Amino acid sequence: MLQEYDLANTALRNRDYDAAIRYFKQAAARHSGLLGHKESDAQLISETLRLASLCFYVGRNLADVPPLLEKARSVADRLGDRRSRALIDLNLGLCFYFAERRSEAFAALSAGRAEVEELGDEDILSRSAELLGLYFMMQGKHRDAVQHLERAVQEAEGLEGRLLHPLAPFILGFCEAYLGRFHRAVGILDSHWRRAELELHPNLATTLRATLGHMLLAVNKKRAALFHLHGALRESKDNQNALSCYIARMGLAYHHFLEGRLREARDTLARAQAEVVQAGIVRQYHSPWYLEMIFEFERSGYGPLPELSFQSQVEKIMREPNIHLRGVALRLKAREAAGKGTDQTCIEPDLAESEACLMASGDPVQLAKTRLEMARLKLDGGDRERACALAQQAWEGLSGYADELFPDDLRFLLEGRGGKRLCGSSKAAEIFLDRFLDLMEDLVPSPDPKQLLARAVTATNRFFGAERGGLFWFKGAHPNEKPLLRASVNLTQADVGSRRFSTSLGLIRRSFMENRPLVVRPKRAGQRNHEYGALAILCLPFEAGGRVRGVLYHDNSYLDDCFDFVEGPLLLRMVRHMSVLIDRIRSYGRTAREKERLAQEIRVEPPRSAAGEIVARSPVMMRLLSQADRIAASESIVLLLGETGVGKELFSRRIHKMSPRREGPYVIVDAAALPGSLVESELFGHEKGAFTGADRQKLGRIEMADAGTLVLDEVGEIPLSVQAKLLRVLEEKTFVRLGGTRAWVCDFRLIAASNRNLADEVAAGRFREDLYYRLNVVPLKIPPLRERGEDAVLLAHHFLDAYARRFGRPGLELTPEDEAMLASYPWPGNVRELRNVIERAVLLSAGSRLVLNLPLAPKSLERHPFQDDPTLDELERLYIQRVLKKTGGRIGGPGGAAEILGLKRTSVYNRLKKLGLTGC
């Protein structure tokens, strides 16, 4: 079964997507025949979700996806896997959306969104971000959509080699444009177009390039727009990409429309519609520009497009939840009514509702158009004052794009009302700085400092009106040092390493070395633009920890009217505030992470009692202690071997307390005390909803041990399936919580312990050979107590002193006969058994004489098993000890103690605890 899965992954690496789809389908079909087997069920869910993502990426085989998703959903329900159920619902919503089944799409997306919000952790929010963005875009709620889509884009930019999905940058570009942030839309699409070209994804590159042409038209950059639209059209034909061809032709139609060539616009759009239908793609749109064109075609007498009349589209929009398109449709409907001479009182309600819808959707351009339509209505009614106020509102809403987008026929309404952009005044600079400070304060906290830095760069990129940005971090102060790109927006590591970025990189180094902000506009200074690769560049150095550590960089490649306020003293003030913010982010990230860990951490410290010290004087133990002390200073993995009760835990604690990690956590996982099904969750943690009963996120012991020591007691008891994951953690120092996908970095020192002969376990196939060699770096074998009789007497005196003080029994002593008996006894339970014997003797001895009650020695048993009238517990204890010795301490599995005793594994643990042999 793994064969198809491996073949699918190989095909993915080779970018043979048709083969990958075929193998994923075969693997899913085979797992479907093994339903009810836990591993097969989980594999079916994983393969189906990957298949769905791949089909969306290549734009093929989408009709095959819903039945597979529905089968996977039933499996997830049976497993109690809420996380997968949420992702399956969201993917079903995407399928239904592209099949024009909008009501079913909205229902499925709503169900998935409700589950994601209930789970609420970073991992599930990241995995569902693209589809949650689609959910909110379907409703015209662009601010909400952008929050999720930005997360999706940032995740993709941070994961090298991840399959680029066209949905997030495509929708994010439109949503940013609908919010009036055209610079951001252009930057997103330009960045992802270049990345897709660099990574040889021609279909995706062409689709993004065509969409970029749309955005450039929206800000009146017609020359650049036509360059991209014509280029995308040529590439679409070469790649037989019907979707990107459709988008490019729509862009060219919109260009004709803006130029007043309505017939050419209509003919181009009609051709695009015919081609997309012939290619079998469902016609759909979410753009108000499309609706505006249909309206103008019919209003100008050119008639409706085939099967797409303005009236039918308005009726459809009014039935759907998209408040954005509803606001546009209501305005156009009101304009149509005004053109027919309808009474003003009948038109005003539609315009008022249009204004409310567009305010809620956040589109300042469409809102300005509605207010301008309201101004025209007021002018017709003779209310010039109100018309002027509405025109002023429209101008202010258009912000920096008012000069290009405000209609000439209404500019007279702005006369004498300050309809100009603020520039140069000290008051304007103060307002600008206040907005900047508000932005810094409003950054949403996160326990992940990387995410906080990414949010800061995203926020400043939007604030400055830049297309892309990055936070560059310098480790030292050498002028030729290559800085690290710690966080970015529309700027990848590949971009930074390109020749095109070399001049910008020089400016970043210069800003860092001189600790001086820079604003560079090559075009205005008469420099050749291609040397810089940008029309405007901003570099802001910042401090952290008392010295200059990096530079915040932003640039624009298409729009040069940014950074106008960022000059002189204002720049220096902003730099100071940025430095404070970066320091706060670093501090907050460390503090929040530590609090999260401590909130769930269980520090396993042995009690401060007689068990807390290693007491020995035998030469073999003194050599071992010396070795342990030397090893403690290193970061090497230590493997402690020896029978149960010899003191492996005390050795691990000693190594931790003498290591550089002594101030960090000391966390123990006793694999022998955990059912096999819970070992993975205990080690790696789990996300909320990962399985039935996972009602909250749980940190695993590996995560708790960050910056400290992790002790894996009885490592030989860990199931083989978990051993493979443990090996990856040791190799890569990263782990993934159960039910999640995000890799977390964890820095811990490992000490493993076992009472088994792991080499024999490897030979028997019960322990991975590669994991054994990874653990067996520094082995320390602790000898049993019977091989160091002098230590038995020394320990007995130590325990006697401790327990006599604890229980108020001074005067109790060991006689020479007691010492001889203790030295000759074989101590199958080792130091733990000796401690228990002394504790019991102190508690039960009457008067001043210590009465030792040793379990029967093997010599006595050889004469007669019932000599000295042993209790049933003593006989049971001796027999269980004999069986454990025979199995090498192994309890579960074939040939284990549980099988020989005829008991369940849990029953054996209960007997051990009852007889005082816990942990044997």
Side-chain angles (χ1 to χ4, degrees):
M1 265 171 285
L2 289 175
Q3 184 180 7
E4 291 94 344
Y5 187 72
D6 292 338
L7 289 171
N9 284 314
T10 301
L12 270 180
R13 287 192 293 270
N14 296 332
R15 295 181 182 169
D16 186 351
Y17 300 125
D18 290 328
I21 289 172
R22 184 171 66 255
Y23 289 130
F24 273 129
K25 289 172 69 175
Q26 290 174 4
R30 292 188 68 179
H31 281 296
S32 295
L34 296 172
L35 293 181
H37 188 277
K38 186 176 179 181
E39 289 189 8
S40 291
D41 287 348
Q43 199 70 28
L44 172 66
I45 292 171
S46 172
E47 287 161 357
T48 302
L49 285 171
R50 292 196 70 187
L51 175 63
S53 180
L54 182 57
C55 288
F56 289 130
Y57 172 75
V58 299
R60 294 192 290 277
N61 302 90
L62 292 176
D64 299 336
V65 174
L68 292 170
L69 286 171
E70 286 169 351
K71 181 177 288 186
R73 181 169 59 180
S74 66
V75 173
D77 284 339
R78 188 175 68 251
L79 294 177
D81 185 353
R82 295 168 57 196
R83 307 176 73 79
S84 295
R85 168 63 189 259
L87 295 170
I88 290 166
D89 279 336
L90 292 171
N91 276 278
L92 275 170
L94 182 60
C95 288
F96 295 150
Y97 176 79
F98 281 104
E100 197 66 9
R101 296 158 63 180
R102 296 298 178 88
S103 60
E104 292 170 272
F106 192 69
L109 289 168
S110 296
R113 178 225 177 185
E115 191 72 88
V116 166
E117 290 191 346
E118 171 64 23
L119 295 169
D121 56 82
E122 290 292 326
D123 183 85
I124 194 66
L125 288 170
S126 296
R127 294 172 70 182
S128 58
E130 288 168 322
L131 299 170
L132 290 176
L134 173 65
Y135 168 79
F136 285 108
M137 189 212 70
M138 281 184 66
Q139 301 170 75
K141 297 178 180 178
H142 303 123
R143 294 186 187 91
D144 293 326
V146 164
Q147 287 183 5
H148 294 284
L149 294 166
E150 281 181 341
R151 181 192 294 269
V153 168
Q154 287 168 6
E155 288 289 321
E157 288 175 352
L159 295 173
E160 293 297 327
R162 171 172 167 169
L163 192 66
L164 269 170
H165 198 297
L167 188 65
F170 180 80
I171 298 179
L172 181 56
F174 276 106
C175 286
E176 290 285 12
Y178 299 153
L179 291 170
R181 301 194 288 244
F182 294 102
H183 58 280
R184 175 94 168 110
V186 168
I188 290 163
L189 293 164
D190 179 71
S191 170
H192 283 81
W193 163 56
R194 294 180 189 278
R195 179 179 173 185
E197 281 201 324
L198 183 67
E199 297 184 7
L200 303 177
H201 298 294
N203 285 318
L204 175 57
T206 306
T207 301
L208 292 171
R209 188 180 187 187
T211 312
L212 173 61
H214 277 260
M215 295 303 109
L216 292 169
L217 279 177
V219 290
N220 206 30
K221 300 294 180 180
K222 296 177 182 176
R223 184 176 178 182
L226 288 175
F227 169 75
H228 285 297
L229 289 171
H230 285 299
L233 189 60
R234 287 194 303 271
E235 292 166 5
S236 299
K237 293 175 181 177
D238 293 340
N239 300 327
Q240 297 182 330
N241 187 332
L243 177 61
S244 59
C245 183
Y246 175 55
I247 296 171
R249 287 205 192 279
M250 283 183 65
L252 292 171
Y254 189 48
H255 176 255
H256 290 311
F257 178 78
L258 293 175
E259 293 292 300
R261 299 189 294 269
L262 296 186
R263 180 176 293 279
E264 291 92 330
R266 186 188 180 283
D267 291 346
T268 303
L269 194 55
R271 181 178 178 183
Q273 295 282 20
E275 288 176 347
V276 78
V277 170
Q278 187 177 3
I281 298 175
V282 176
R283 293 177 302 187
Q284 54 188 305
Y285 65 92
H286 52 77
S287 167
W289 310 325
Y290 189 95
L291 191 61
E292 288 172 330
M293 285 194 287
I294 295 174
F295 171 77
E296 286 295 338
F297 296 156
E298 295 186 26
R299 194 174 75 93
S300 301
Y302 293 105
L305 288 168
E307 302 178 11
L308 277 175
S309 69
F310 174 69
Q311 184 60 36
S312 68
Q313 293 306 298
V314 170
E315 291 172 358
K316 177 183 174 185
I317 287 167
M318 298 305 289
R319 292 193 301 267
E320 294 180 349
N322 193 317
I323 57 174
H324 184 224
L325 290 180
R326 182 178 299 178
V328 177
L330 285 166
R331 182 186 71 245
L332 296 175
K333 180 182 171 186
R335 188 173 178 186
E336 182 181 47
K340 294 177 180 178
T342 304
D343 187 83
Q344 182 171 332
T345 57
C346 297
I347 299 173
E348 285 178 337
D350 281 346
L351 288 175
E353 187 179 349
S354 171
E355 183 182 38
C357 287
L358 292 169
M359 287 176 68
S361 77
D363 188 336
V365 175
Q366 294 299 327
L367 179 60
K369 290 181 178 181
T370 290
R371 285 174 172 163
L372 290 171
E373 202 62 41
M374 296 168 78
R376 287 190 176 95
L377 198 64
K378 293 298 180 183
L379 274 179
D380 291 343
D383 189 351
R384 183 184 176 96
E385 184 65 24
R386 180 60 182 150
C388 287
L390 287 165
Q392 181 65 29
Q393 279 185 289
W395 176 277
E396 291 170 356
L398 291 171
S399 186
Y401 302 102
D403 284 331
E404 290 85 4
L405 301 177
F406 198 91
D408 292 338
D409 64 312
L410 291 180
R411 289 190 181 236
F412 73 93
L413 293 174
L414 300 172
E415 292 177 4
R417 299 189 61 88
K420 300 288 183 182
R421 292 181 65 190
L422 289 170
C423 62
S425 70
S426 59
K427 182 178 179 181
E430 289 299 324
I431 292 172
F432 190 82
L433 183 60
D434 286 342
R435 286 174 54 210
F436 180 76
L437 296 179
D438 289 342
L439 174 77
M440 297 296 98
E441 291 297 326
D442 288 343
L443 284 172
V444 180
S446 165
D448 185 355
K450 291 182 180 179
Q451 194 172 92
L452 271 171
L453 290 175
R455 287 178 181 172
V457 175
T458 299
T460 55
N461 198 71
R462 182 181 302 152
F463 181 80
F464 291 125
E467 292 164 17
R468 61 182 184 174
L471 189 145
F472 289 86
W473 192 273
F474 289 79
K475 288 184 177 179
H478 194 278
N480 294 325
E481 178 188 345
K482 186 177 180 180
L484 300 174
L485 183 63
R486 293 284 294 272
S488 64
V489 176
N490 304 326
L491 186 66
T492 66
Q493 194 63 55
D495 294 331
V496 174
S498 69
R499 184 177 180 182
R500 180 183 174 86
F501 197 77
S502 60
T503 306
S504 292
L505 200 57
L507 291 173
I508 291 168
R509 287 198 184 97
R510 177 179 156 196
S511 178
F512 170 75
M513 295 302 297
E514 297 177 4
N515 191 16
R516 184 167 63 90
L518 299 174
V519 180
V520 179
R521 297 185 181 87
K523 189 175 180 180
R524 296 185 190 178
Q527 289 133 326
R528 289 179 299 170
N529 185 46
H530 69 268
E531 292 179 357
Y532 287 84
L535 293 175
I537 297 169
L538 170 66
C539 296
L540 296 177
F542 59 83
E543 296 183 0
R547 68 184 182 90
V548 183
R549 297 301 299 267
V551 173
L552 180 67
Y553 171 89
H554 292 292
D555 73 20
N556 271 6
S557 298
Y558 294 95
L559 312 174
D560 65 352
D561 57 348
C562 54
F563 316 147
D564 285 344
F565 283 109
V566 195
E567 294 178 352
L570 181 61
L571 263 180
L572 297 176
R573 293 172 66 183
M574 295 178 76
V575 165
R576 286 197 296 270
H577 290 298
M578 272 299 303
S579 297
V580 172
L581 172 69
I582 300 296
D583 246 350
R584 281 173 57 194
I585 286 175
R586 295 176 73 219
S587 174
Y588 180 84
R590 288 193 299 266
T591 303
R593 188 75 176 148
E594 181 67 13
K595 284 182 178 178
E596 182 186 3
R597 179 176 60 77
L598 291 175
Q600 299 190 41
E601 178 183 311
I602 302 173
R603 289 178 180 266
V604 185
E605 291 284 356
R608 295 184 178 279
S609 68
E613 303 174 30
I614 297 177
V615 177
R617 64 184 174 201
S618 60
V620 63
M621 286 296 289
M622 299 310 293
R623 283 196 301 273
L624 276 176
L625 289 171
S626 176
Q627 290 175 3
D629 292 348
R630 289 198 301 273
I631 293 165
S634 73
E635 290 290 304
S636 298
I637 294 175
V638 180
L639 178 60
L640 300 174
L641 300 169
E643 296 177 7
T644 57
V646 294
K648 297 188 289 294
E649 182 181 326
L650 295 182
F651 264 84
S652 69
R653 186 158 68 99
R654 181 185 181 106
I655 292 170
H656 169 72
K657 290 197 170 183
M658 297 192 70
S659 75
R661 297 172 178 265
R662 65 180 67 88
E663 299 300 325
Y666 171 82
V667 180
I668 294 179
V669 181
D670 186 356
L674 293 170
S677 59
L678 293 183
V679 171
E680 183 175 2
S681 174
E682 194 69 23
L683 276 176
F684 305 107
H686 63 250
E687 300 289 2
K688 184 177 179 181
F691 48 83
T692 302
D695 57 352
R696 63 183 177 86
Q697 183 190 77
K698 176 185 176 182
L699 299 189
R701 297 300 181 93
I702 288 175
E703 194 166 357
M704 292 178 186
D706 189 32
T709 301
L710 175 69
V711 180
L712 288 182
D713 199 10
E714 301 308 339
V715 68
E717 295 280 355
I718 295 177
L720 280 168
S721 60
V722 181
Q723 289 177 26
K725 294 185 177 182
L726 176 61
L727 179 63
R728 285 197 296 272
V729 173
L730 297 178
E731 295 288 351
E732 302 169 10
K733 289 296 183 182
T734 62
F735 68 96
V736 177
R737 296 186 192 126
L738 192 63
T741 57
R742 172 173 292 196
W744 299 92
V745 177
C746 192
D747 173 30
F748 63 91
R749 198 258 183 91
L750 178 67
I751 300 176
S754 179
N755 63 8
R756 300 188 188 185
N757 186 322
L758 292 183
D760 290 346
E761 294 296 300
V762 169
R766 291 187 292 266
F767 201 82
R768 291 180 64 101
E769 184 177 21
D770 46 6
L771 178 58
Y772 171 64
Y773 290 127
R774 191 71 180 84
L775 296 177
N776 197 35
V777 178
V778 183
L780 293 180
K781 185 171 177 58
I782 305 171
L785 191 56
R786 61 180 171 274
E787 295 179 8
R788 44 191 179 98
E790 57 192 301
D791 286 344
V793 176
L794 182 66
L795 282 163
H797 281 286
H798 173 75
F799 291 138
L800 179 60
D801 290 342
Y803 288 121
R805 285 195 303 271
R806 177 185 293 185
F807 301 129
R809 300 296 308 277
L812 293 176
E813 294 183 356
L814 291 169
T815 65
E817 292 79 11
D818 292 334
E819 291 181 351
M821 182 169 54
L822 292 168
S824 63
Y825 183 73
W827 299 112
N830 291 294
V831 180
R832 185 180 293 117
E833 183 185 8
L834 172 59
R835 184 190 66 201
N836 293 340
V837 164
I838 299 298
E839 182 179 8
R840 182 170 60 247
V842 171
L843 285 170
L844 300 180
S845 295
S848 60
R849 184 165 173 351
L850 182 71
V851 179
L852 289 175
N853 185 18
L854 293 178
L856 292 178
K859 290 180 180 179
S860 301
L861 285 173
E862 288 172 7
R863 294 193 300 271
H864 195 287
F866 304 124
Q867 187 173 335
D868 298 330
D869 298 323
T871 66
L872 186 61
D873 281 353
E874 288 172 337
L875 286 174
E876 187 175 2
R877 180 187 295 108
L878 287 170
Y879 180 59
I880 291 177
Q881 287 173 342
R882 180 177 179 276
V883 170
L884 287 173
K885 185 176 181 181
K886 179 180 179 180
T887 65
R890 185 164 48 82
I891 294 173
E899 182 180 275
I900 294 173
L901 294 170
L903 298 172
K904 293 182 179 179
R905 178 173 164 172
T906 52
S907 299
V908 175
Y909 285 121
N910 290 335
R911 297 285 179 95
L912 293 175
K913 185 175 181 180
K914 176 185 174 183
L915 297 170
L917 299 175
T918 305
C920 289

